[in-house]
Each structure stands twice: as structure tokens, then as C-alpha cells.
Amino acid sequence: WMSSYPPHEVVGMPSLSPTMEAGTIAKWNKAEGEEFAAGDVLCEVETDKATVDFEAQDDGFIARILADAGPNEITCGEPIMITVEDGDDIGAFKDYVVEASAAPAAPAEPAAPAASTPPPAPAAAAPPAPVTPPPA
């Protein structure tokens, strides 16, 4: 389904704190078609505790905003926008719609708090040996 589109990134709702599971977009600071640079504040995300700036990690263009600012809660990882590196690719996404099955299961941000879920390795690495009761 992605092959018909130019190179792009579907950006999910970021997890901006270790306990954040969902949030709302308080305000978009950049519009569709607008260029941004690394460090620019793309939007303001409201969590249950604070309003936090969501900064761009790279340079690019917002090709499509998928989640409007407003009171609707968005789960972390749910697509909120599409970015492209080349401004000439913006038009290809004007009618883009995210299919439910295409939504990423995890936040797209590398800053997602991996510490909030316990690592499975220690629990699975040492299963207890079967205990044989001593002979009576």
C-alpha cells in the first residue's frame, strides 16, 4: 500500500513522558505543506500532566496532518501526520487516509520510553527447573 507513494514517514503520536499513553494535540504550529527544520516545534501535545512541545528530529515538510488539534485523545503511536523530505512530494498525500490496519503498534519516535515495559529477557531467561519431590 505504501509503494504508490513517494518516500515518506507516518509519524505517530509521540510518547513525551515515561507514563504517557495518550494525549491531545493542543495546537499545530506548522501547517500542511509547510517546511520545518530539526528542532522546530511541530505541535503542542497535551498530556494528563502538562502541555509539551513536539519537536522535529529532522528537516522536512508536513505532507498531511492526520489528527486535528482539539479535545480528542490520541493513543501514543497512532498516526498524526505524514512528513516528506522533498517538497515536490507533498501533493501525493492530499487524499491520503490511514487504514486501521496500517497504524503502527508502537510510537514512531525513537524517544519512546522502553523502560515503561519491563524487559522480557530476565523473566524468560531463567525459568525455574521442575521440582521433583523427594522420595517418601
Side-chain angles (χ1 to χ4, degrees):
W1 56 274
M2 281 192 189
S3 60
S4 62
Y5 289 102
H8 64 284
E9 181 178 357
V10 177
V11 179
M13 172 62 100
S15 178
L16 299 169
S17 76
T19 58
M20 181 177 166
E21 294 179 6
T24 60
I25 295 173
K27 173 182 154 192
W28 281 101
N29 294 352
K30 298 286 182 182
E32 281 186 11
E34 204 169 338
E35 186 171 10
F36 59 85
D40 284 357
V41 176
L42 301 175
C43 64
E44 296 172 15
V45 175
E46 206 169 290
T47 71
D48 58 341
K49 297 180 178 85
T51 300
V52 185
D53 292 342
F54 177 32
E55 295 182 0
Q57 302 301 307
D58 300 302
D59 298 352
F61 295 84
I62 294 183
R64 182 115 165 92
I65 291 175
L66 302 170
D68 294 328
N72 296 335
E73 194 166 83
I74 303 164
T75 304
C76 290
E78 187 175 320
I80 60 168
M81 70 177 152
I82 296 172
T83 61
V84 293
E85 290 182 20
D86 187 343
D88 294 337
D89 293 336
I90 294 168
F93 295 93
K94 68 181 175 64
D95 297 320
Y96 185 94
V97 176
V98 175
E99 296 174 26
S101 62
E109 283 305 294
S116 67
T117 49
V131 177
T132 308

